[in-house]
Amino acid sequence: QQAKKPSINMSSEATAGQTPDMYGQLHPVETPELIESKLDEFQQELDKLNPEVTQWATEAQEKCQPSQDFKLQFLRCEVFNADLAAARYASYWKKRVEVFGKEKAFLPMTLDQALADPKIQTAFDMGVMTLLEGVQDPSGRALVYFDPSKYDKSKYTVETIIPALWYVLHAALESVTAQQKGVIFIGDPGRAKFSQFDRAVAKELITSLKGALPIRLSAFHLVHPPAFAKIVIPIVKVFMSDRMRKRICIHSGGEEKVLQEFQTKYGITADMLPTTVGGKYQVNHAKWVEKRSSSKL
């Protein structure tokens, strides 16, 4: 069965009468009744899909028994369109097997299990992507920081960096409000070199976001893009859906202008923005990793 094609602004009967927010997103009002009925509908839609499509989701059910709360993430991602959520869920498990391999795909998404590979750890420790822990936008969206200047091609391959990026995005989804409202990327490419742009990694990451991971991408804020961004951005956009392309927000000019724009237009204050883009948040990827490792996360 073919799932219906998503529109630019996701909607459903659960968002009827709503006006899109500043990112063009609608947000269902969740009730226990809505969640219960939609989880039932989700399972019905999953059962309708071709067994070849749901092969890995079926294996996941046998091996790790994903919780109802986990399945709810896919409904939230697709604003409670059960057919789209079921299709994304099936795609997620297929992609997870591709990313982690059959041996680790069904292990918990923790540093000491699914991520327990020295090569993946080396790629992860570069700190290309990290969760800005302890801060969210006024609606409760998670903030994920992306710094391509951290790429060191002697320390990673596509096969080792993508699991690391998946881990960060799963960490962002530990917040229920991030599941409901979305995730915001703060891209900081100002110190990166053109040689650090990795087309293959960009393609794999965008593919995961577009059709597998249960993430509502609210925005990709690109701060102080370098001159070569004029070459890179069109390449990256090729891999994106129309909806994702519309989520790119470019910020240029002086620090004061950029900070003012973030605060007045998006409600993101200097306390939530890394010091490298003019904010006050001290990014410490190593400390964040150590904290999660000691908590067995």
Side-chain angles (χ1 to χ4, degrees), residues 24-52:
Q25 293 182 310
L26 300 169
H27 305 286
V29 177
E30 294 185 13
T31 63
E33 293 76 21
L34 175 72
I35 290 171
E36 183 180 1
S37 67
K38 287 296 181 178
L39 281 169
D40 287 344
E41 193 179 332
F42 169 89
Q43 189 58 52
Q44 291 167 19
E45 293 293 339
L46 198 60
D47 292 341
K48 290 179 189 176
L49 294 174
N50 189 306
E52 290 183 10

Side-chain angles (χ1 to χ4, degrees), residues 136 138 143 259 262-263 266-274 279-280:
Q136 294 181 319
L143 303 181
L259 290 176
F262 266 111
Q263 181 160 349
Y266 303 104
I268 298 174
T269 63
D271 292 340
M272 306 173 191
L273 291 168
K280 298 178 181 178

Side-chain angles (χ1 to χ4, degrees), residues 213-234:
L213 290 164
I215 283 180
R216 297 194 74 188
L217 177 62
S218 297
F220 197 109
H221 291 287
L222 205 57
V223 186
H224 300 134
F228 66 78
K230 292 177 182 178
I231 301 171
V232 169
I233 292 174

Side-chain angles (χ1 to χ4, degrees), residues 10-147:
M10 288 294 296
S11 62
S12 68
E13 72 269 21
T15 61
Q18 290 189 10
T19 301
D21 66 11
M22 59 198 163
Y23 292 120
Q25 293 182 310
L26 300 169
H27 305 286
V29 177
E30 294 185 13
T31 63
E33 293 76 21
L34 175 72
I35 290 171
E36 183 180 1
S37 67
K38 287 296 181 178
L39 281 169
D40 287 344
E41 193 179 332
F42 169 89
Q43 189 58 52
Q44 291 167 19
E45 293 293 339
L46 198 60
D47 292 341
K48 290 179 189 176
L49 294 174
N50 189 306
E52 290 183 10
V53 173
T54 58
Q55 173 190 353
W56 298 113
T58 301
E59 189 158 337
Q61 192 62 40
E62 295 167 358
K63 291 187 173 178
C64 56
Q65 298 179 329
S67 67
Q68 293 291 82
D69 284 344
F70 182 67
K71 294 172 183 177
L72 180 56
Q73 292 182 28
F74 293 83
L75 282 164
R76 286 171 169 155
C77 176
E78 301 289 1
V79 293
F80 289 88
N81 285 292
D83 54 347
L84 297 178
R88 181 176 287 266
Y89 182 77
S91 296
Y92 168 87
W93 283 108
K94 181 175 185 286
K95 194 68 180 171
R96 183 158 164 166
V97 171
E98 288 177 16
V99 170
F100 289 91
K102 295 177 186 178
E103 297 299 316
K104 293 193 173 181
F106 306 107
L107 295 176
M109 188 67 68
T110 59
L111 292 170
D112 64 348
Q113 296 210 50
L115 276 284
D117 179 314
K119 292 180 180 178
I120 293 175
Q121 292 285 349
T122 298
F124 184 49
D125 289 344
M126 289 189 297
V128 171
M129 184 186 287
T130 197
L131 177 66
L132 300 187
E133 188 182 30
V135 294
Q136 294 181 319
D137 91 333
S139 296
R141 293 177 172 94
L143 303 181
V144 172
Y145 178 61
F146 184 72
D147 181 359

Side-chain angles (χ1 to χ4, degrees), residues 188-200:
D188 180 18
R191 296 173 307 284
K193 300 172 183 175
F194 181 62
S195 61
Q196 290 176 298
F197 171 61
D198 195 316
R199 183 179 183 275

